[in-house]
Amino acid sequence: MAEAQMQVSDEVAISIENMNKWYGTFHVLRDIDLTVFRGERIVICGPSGSGKSTLIRCINALEEHQEGRITVDGTLLSSDLKNIDKIRSEVGMCFQHFNLFPHLTILENCTLAPIWVRKTPKKEAEETAMHFLEKVKIPDQALKYPGQLSGGQQQRVAIARSLCMRPRVMLFDEPTSALDPEMIKEVLDTMIELAEEGMTMLCVTHEMGFARQVANRVIFMDQGQIVEQNEPEEFFNNPKSERTQLFLSQILGH
Amino acid sequence: MSDTQSHNVAFVRETFLPESAPPSTATGPVKWIKDNLFATWANGLLTVAALYLIFLVLSSTMPWIFAGIWNAESLAACREVLDGVSGACFAVLTERWNQLLFGFTYPTDQYWRPTLAFVLLFVAMAPVLFFDLPRKLLIFTGLYPFLAFWLIWGGTILAPLLALAGVVVGYLVYDRLVKNSFAAGFFGGIVAAFVVWYIGGFLISDTANENAMLQAVPSRDLGGFMLNMMLGITCVSLSVPLGIALALGRQSNLPLIKGICVVFIEFIRGVPLITLLFVANVMLAYFFPPGSGVDLFIRVVIMITIFSAAYIAEVIRGGLAALPKGQYEAGDSLGLDYAQSMRLIILPQALKISIPGIVNIAVGLFKDTTLVSVISMFDIVGMIRGPILASTDWNGVYWELFMFASVLFFVVCYGISQYSQWLERRLATDHR
């Protein structure tokens, strides 16, 4: 692991202050405070329903928060659609179920947003797309449709699709939980490579091996709150809160 | 081959088995007949009974069709030739051919005009239906409505040119204003088009039609199957975009737009088409400025269009609902705005899912154009029931005439159905 390359800078990439969110009357996120510096690799874990996915979905406004401030790259997330679209084009996102566009080829999936949002010429967008498809090691599938690819390949395409927008932050929402065990590794390898290049990453995942290897910070959430956060070494070997100890014993126990 | 013993639990496969062909008894036509027609004793009995039924139907209709008379002046003349033999009197079709196709008041020497418009229709539709064709052909498709209007109605060429100018100006204004906001562009474009049409209306003199290149034909002189085709094609091509707009409007977050769309769809769906047509015939004139004399044809087109648009909107809403939420989120997360994600991601998929439903409604709409015969427009059914059956020559020739009308409709509807199935196969990319 090339630790030297994975430097964290002092520049703030994302800051979340006092954020609260309700679904109807259900209080899903409570007083979230989180500052992410450029180059950080943060793994968020927690039991299901703890609000970890909701948290990262608030960052690119897929979910609306009711209280508090979210600032991404200096842009305050408000209800202004122009701000939202600007933030979304700077923040890449990978979903649990890949969400590739099934009616477009792999290449078209990757060039769509650069062409329409960034107004990149088609030829240039295709070159960029091929570059990133090579990076995730599937350039030979470029003209196929998503339905013809395996789950692991689809998730790698989804990562390449996000990278084509040259995002400054990547969000991963349980990228490996819909994959067969044999395919998890190929996706994690891609994500590790990305981390080594200094990408700022927030990952919701239960891949604790990945967290140990890549993360510089692990956050544990329960009941809509941040319960504990620490460096991975400390977090796994010496969890402070009882809730964290219970959670870790359950997922690492077998 | 591995030589494991049956009682031995441990097993390691050393050689993988190659693929082999199925046994010969599992394929071939004999096997098909045995499986599908005579699988069981009862199944065989049903097959024989069905074959007998087909024989009964064909043996009574075929002689009637083949003994048919194609040349006669009237039904009486037909019966004379037949001389008691059971046979069809297709002579009515040949004798009234032009009336069935063009109606009975369209100028006889001008039949080439709608015929030409019909032929050009295929050229105009080709790039829309088959998207592998060069995109430049779409320019002709865009001009076709104005050309067809001029060919069929005739009169001064200024009228279609003015209509075209209005559309072009409206688009230019839209294109300019849409950068600020969509609403400004949309309504600005519509207003600009109407301004052009209003001002242009003064420029065309009342006498322009009299010495025009093509003789002017008023709408009431249109008829026959031509009228059905005109109504069907105009209404289908207008109601699909309107239906898409209504379906998207119904999903809108803006309560006002959503409300308008819901009320419109529910109201129109709750009213029989025939009442809407009576409204078009009698009442709609009150809604237009006095003296504007909006043509009956246009009023009927408006009514049929909104009627089928309401149905199409619901079909498309089903398609939109069938898309996983992740598709919307993926579009959003890439920074696409609403219009882009609808156009590039959501609608292509939702419309593909909706193809069978939309085609269902298009076929129904096309057949429903025969309803205009009840508001005294002489479409093919109106022609048959009116001028042809009422004439002393052909009074009583029901089977032949209605069979002919059915065949015409069947050919068109079956064509639409076949096209849609081809389209679905062509667009199937997700389950290869």
Side-chain angles (χ1 to χ4, degrees), chain B residues 158 162 196 198-205 208:
Chain B
L158 291 176
L162 177 64
V196 169
Y198 187 73
I199 295 173
F202 294 111
L203 298 177
I204 300 178
S205 64

Side-chain angles (χ1 to χ4, degrees), chain A residues 57 60 62-63 82 85 88-89 91-93 95 99-104 109 112-113 116-117 119 145 147-148 161-162 165, chain B residues 179-180 324-338 340 343-346 348-349 352 427 429-432:
Chain A
R57 287 160 59 88
N60 67 351
L62 286 183
E63 302 281 354
K82 280 188 182 138
D85 281 340
R88 282 174 177 167
S89 62
V91 177
M93 177 140 189
F95 300 89
N99 297 350
L100 294 179
F101 307 129
H103 62 301
L104 300 177
N109 263 281
L112 185 87
W116 289 90
V117 181
K119 316 285 178 206
Y145 286 93
Q148 296 165 288
R161 179 176 72 175
S162 296
M165 288 292 281
Chain B
K179 282 166 198 140
N180 300 331
K325 204 165 150 246
Q327 291 291 310
Y328 293 85
E329 291 179 349
D332 285 346
S333 75
L334 287 168
L336 297 169
D337 63 29
Y338 176 79
Q340 287 170 339
R343 200 183 121 202
L344 301 167
I345 297 166
I346 305 303
Q349 297 184 60
K352 191 182 103 189
L427 294 179
T429 57
D430 40 353
H431 302 298
R432 279 189 190 177

Side-chain angles (χ1 to χ4, degrees), chain A residues 188-200:
Chain A
L188 289 182
D189 284 347
T190 309
M191 290 169 64
I192 291 168
E193 209 176 301
L194 207 57
E196 283 170 2
E197 286 168 12
M199 176 65 78
T200 312

Side-chain angles (χ1 to χ4, degrees), chain A residues 191-230:
Chain A
M191 290 169 64
I192 291 168
E193 209 176 301
L194 207 57
E196 283 170 2
E197 286 168 12
M199 176 65 78
T200 312
M201 296 165 65
L202 268 82
C203 310
V204 172
T205 183
H206 292 137
E207 297 298 328
M208 290 306 147
F210 172 79
R212 271 180 202 274
Q213 188 182 348
V214 172
N216 69 316
R217 200 161 17 141
V218 182
I219 293 178
F220 175 71
M221 286 184 70
D222 189 26
Q223 294 174 25
Q225 297 154 72
I226 295 180
V227 176
E228 184 165 349
Q229 56 173 315
N230 213 331

Side-chain angles (χ1 to χ4, degrees), chain B residues 274-298:
Chain B
I274 201 107
T275 53
L276 289 177
L277 288 176
F278 279 121
V279 169
N281 191 19
V282 193
M283 280 172 58
L284 206 58
Y286 295 126
F287 292 108
F288 291 107
S292 68
V294 172
D295 199 275
L296 177 62
F297 181 81
I298 295 179

Side-chain angles (χ1 to χ4, degrees), chain B residues 6-307:
Chain B
S6 58
H7 58 265
N8 193 351
V9 179
F11 168 75
V12 176
R13 182 172 290 287
E14 275 148 10
T15 50
F16 281 84
L17 304 175
E19 232 177 285
S20 56
S24 57
T25 50
T27 50
V30 177
K31 144 111 176 132
W32 185 89
I33 290 175
K34 193 164 175 287
D35 274 5
N36 293 289
L37 300 180
F38 299 99
T40 62
W41 184 80
N43 203 327
L45 206 63
L46 278 176
T47 302
V48 172
L51 286 175
Y52 180 64
L53 197 70
I54 293 170
F55 168 76
L56 274 188
V57 172
L58 290 184
S59 65
S60 54
T61 52
M62 284 298 130
W64 181 79
I65 288 174
F66 286 118
I69 306 295
W70 289 90
N71 275 309
E73 299 264 287
S74 67
L75 183 60
C78 245
R79 293 206 167 124
E80 219 165 276
V81 179
L82 282 168
D83 199 21
V85 182
S86 157
C89 185
F90 294 121
V92 64
L93 304 181
T94 46
E95 213 244 352
R96 297 292 175 108
W97 178 255
N98 286 328
Q99 287 195 355
L100 285 165
L101 293 192
F102 302 105
F104 65 129
T105 42
Y106 202 90
T108 353
D109 54 337
Q110 304 289 329
Y111 285 153
W112 65 271
R113 279 159 47 184
T115 313
L116 178 62
F118 179 67
V119 172
L120 290 179
L121 172 70
F122 289 97
V123 183
M125 283 199 311
V128 179
L129 299 185
F130 304 100
F131 28 80
D132 294 328
L133 292 172
R135 294 291 81 192
K136 286 216 172 102
L137 285 174
L138 281 173
I139 297 173
F140 180 74
T141 309
L143 294 177
Y144 177 77
F146 307 100
L147 179 65
F149 171 83
W150 185 54
L151 278 174
I152 291 171
W153 274 272
T156 171
I157 196 169
L158 291 176
L161 285 182
L162 177 64
L164 181 60
V167 172
V168 170
V169 170
Y171 176 75
L172 290 178
V173 170
Y174 164 82
D175 195 44
R176 197 169 174 121
L177 292 181
V178 80
K179 282 166 198 140
N180 300 331
S181 89
F182 177 74
F186 184 71
F187 292 110
I190 290 178
V191 169
F194 272 99
V195 167
V196 169
W197 289 329
Y198 187 73
I199 295 173
F202 294 111
L203 298 177
I204 300 178
S205 64
D206 292 340
T207 55
N209 272 345
E210 284 164 19
N211 39 24
M213 212 158 65
L214 294 181
Q215 183 193 340
V217 180
S219 290
R220 63 174 179 278
D221 287 354
L222 304 174
F225 194 62
M226 171 182 77
L227 185 60
N228 295 109
M229 287 292 284
M230 285 163 62
L231 286 171
I233 288 161
T234 320
C235 295
V236 168
S237 39
L238 291 177
S239 59
V240 170
L242 184 59
I244 294 174
L246 284 170
L248 293 180
R250 194 170 183 161
Q251 292 214 323
S252 169
N253 293 328
L254 307 171
L256 191 64
I257 290 182
K258 183 176 178 163
I260 290 174
C261 291
V262 169
V263 169
F264 182 91
I265 291 171
E266 296 300 336
F267 175 73
I268 298 293
R269 277 202 313 168
V271 178
L273 178 58
I274 201 107
T275 53
L276 289 177
L277 288 176
F278 279 121
V279 169
N281 191 19
V282 193
M283 280 172 58
L284 206 58
Y286 295 126
F287 292 108
F288 291 107
S292 68
V294 172
D295 199 275
L296 177 62
F297 181 81
I298 295 179
R299 284 183 269 155
V300 168
V301 163
I302 292 176
M303 282 308 181
I304 300 182
T305 301
I306 60 174
F307 184 78

Side-chain angles (χ1 to χ4, degrees), chain B residues 352-414:
Chain B
K352 191 182 103 189
I353 301 173
S354 318
I355 289 172
I358 294 176
V359 166
N360 205 5
I361 289 163
V363 165
L365 178 157
F366 182 58
K367 293 182 294 175
D368 281 353
T369 57
T370 54
L371 284 175
V372 298
S373 64
V374 300
I375 55 168
S376 49
M377 286 174 93
F378 290 98
D379 77 311
I380 191 166
V381 172
M383 283 305 298
I384 292 172
R385 294 198 322 155
I388 297 178
L389 279 179
S391 70
T392 46
D393 286 349
W394 298 110
N395 193 347
V397 201
Y398 294 98
W399 280 96
E400 294 82 344
L401 286 168
F402 285 113
M403 260 176 60
F404 175 66
S406 311
V407 167
L408 286 185
F409 279 101
F410 175 78
V411 167
V412 176
C413 295
Y414 187 69

